[in-house]
Amino acid sequence: MIDIKSMGYIRVASTDLDSWKTFAGKVLGLAEGRGPNPAHQYWRIDEVSARLVVFPSDVDQLDCAGWEVADHQALQAAREHLQKAGVEFEEGTKEELAERRVQELVRFRDPWDNVFELYHGITYESRPVVTPYAATFVTGDQGMGHIVLPVLDDVEALRFYTEVLGFRLRDSMSMPGEFVGKEPGSKVWLRFLGVNPRHHSLAFLPMPNPSKCVHVMLEVDELDDVGRALERVRKHGAPLSATLGRHMNDEMISFYVRSPGGFDVEFGTDGMTVEDSKWVARESTAVSYWGHDFSAGR
């Protein structure tokens, strides 16, 4: 099994870097970092050199998500595991390692063309991170946050992510199949998977998405910082996708805003942490206890 510790970074392709500069810096309140390529944007939320990298492209979409393993031995074990599972992978080039500031990485795709990078040895900075609005992001052993990816087959996705990649099922939610174009009366599953104390680091929705991402979640440690971010969404005219609410499964209080990449960013606080030895996977019967009106974005 692959021993993934956390989601470490995401890389986003963009046709409009100016929009990302406003969105990441002024709306989300991320700290501008530095990096090897002056044409790229590097964004910090903690001591890691960059958690979000945005680079110029002719498309707007998620390029990949980076997943951290402990060290060279763990990455070597992951290589051998992928090989046995019949998953093709490639080694990161010298240029790619320098750009991501990691010591080693391998890249592969899941069966739905979502790109995963497994890495170890990422750099961290001596200069403390100072976010523009003084928010503190929840990272550490929980990693950058969580990501929800589009798949086409929820049954195979659960098998691939748990049996091949080593994610652990934390929560499930069923929805009518017609919601994603299946026959009436059928059911599809949203599954929420974890690798560390964060309730989930990866979830999947059985529905194609041109931006190759449903949403990315960032967590801050104070409710007031969520409220201030919501005010900045209004101030800068960023498209609100869902109103403030509290989720059932991870108990996160959050809102959703549409990024220039075409996917949503969930911005929240007070997410549940879990202990694997005591955790029992459950099925939630609603998206949220209250709020999260997704018609706000229509």
Side-chain angles (χ1 to χ4, degrees), residues 73-279:
Q73 285 79 8
L75 191 60
Q76 186 54 33
R79 288 183 181 99
E80 292 165 12
H81 184 75
L82 290 171
Q83 215 159 14
K84 279 183 195 157
V87 178
E88 291 183 12
F89 61 88
E90 59 189 29
E91 298 290 330
T93 65
K94 194 191 294 186
E95 293 73 26
E96 287 167 342
L97 299 183
E99 159 71 6
R100 289 151 179 77
R101 287 170 281 185
V102 300
Q103 290 179 28
E104 284 185 280
L105 80 83
V106 299
R107 182 187 304 102
F108 63 92
R109 294 170 186 270
D110 74 6
W112 306 278
D113 209 36
N114 298 305
V115 181
F116 287 70
E117 293 183 349
L118 298 177
Y119 73 87
H120 76 87
I122 200 164
T123 61
Y124 60 105
E125 302 290 327
S126 61
R127 188 168 47 96
V129 67
V130 181
T131 58
Y133 306 103
T136 299
F137 287 84
V138 177
T139 57
D141 61 356
Q142 297 188 52
M144 176 185 180
H146 75 233
I147 193 164
V148 183
L149 296 174
V151 301
L152 297 179
D153 182 339
D154 51 343
V155 176
E156 174 58 18
L158 182 62
R159 186 202 71 80
F160 182 83
Y161 292 145
T162 55
E163 294 180 20
V164 178
L165 301 189
F167 286 89
R168 300 182 284 280
L169 180 64
R170 294 277 169 75
D171 205 283
S172 301
M173 194 168 70
S174 68
M175 52 197 269
E178 45 269 49
F179 184 78
V180 297
K182 308 262 184 189
E183 61 276 5
S186 65
K187 190 154 76 167
V188 294
W189 289 96
L190 282 76
R191 306 283 192 182
F192 301 86
L193 311 171
V195 287
N196 58 44
R198 194 181 288 285
H199 176 273
H200 59 279
S201 295
L202 172 70
F204 59 81
L205 181 69
M207 192 174 180
N209 185 311
S211 65
K212 302 188 81 170
C213 178
V214 180
H215 75 255
V216 172
M217 186 283 300
L218 298 174
E219 183 178 2
V220 289
D221 68 349
E222 295 284 345
L223 179 61
D224 285 346
D225 289 320
V226 177
R228 291 184 187 110
L230 196 48
E231 290 187 340
R232 296 194 301 271
V233 166
R234 198 175 300 119
K235 177 182 174 184
H236 293 283
L240 188 70
S241 299
T243 58
L244 193 70
R246 188 191 279 273
H247 280 307
M248 261 191 86
N249 59 7
D250 66 354
E251 301 185 356
M252 183 84 67
I253 299 175
S254 62
F255 65 87
Y256 291 72
V257 59
R258 181 58 50 95
S259 77
F263 54 85
D264 285 342
V265 173
E266 180 185 4
F267 195 97
T269 192
D270 202 26
M272 177 195 292
T273 57
V274 307
E275 198 179 319
D276 270 308
S277 61
K278 298 178 180 173
W279 185 254

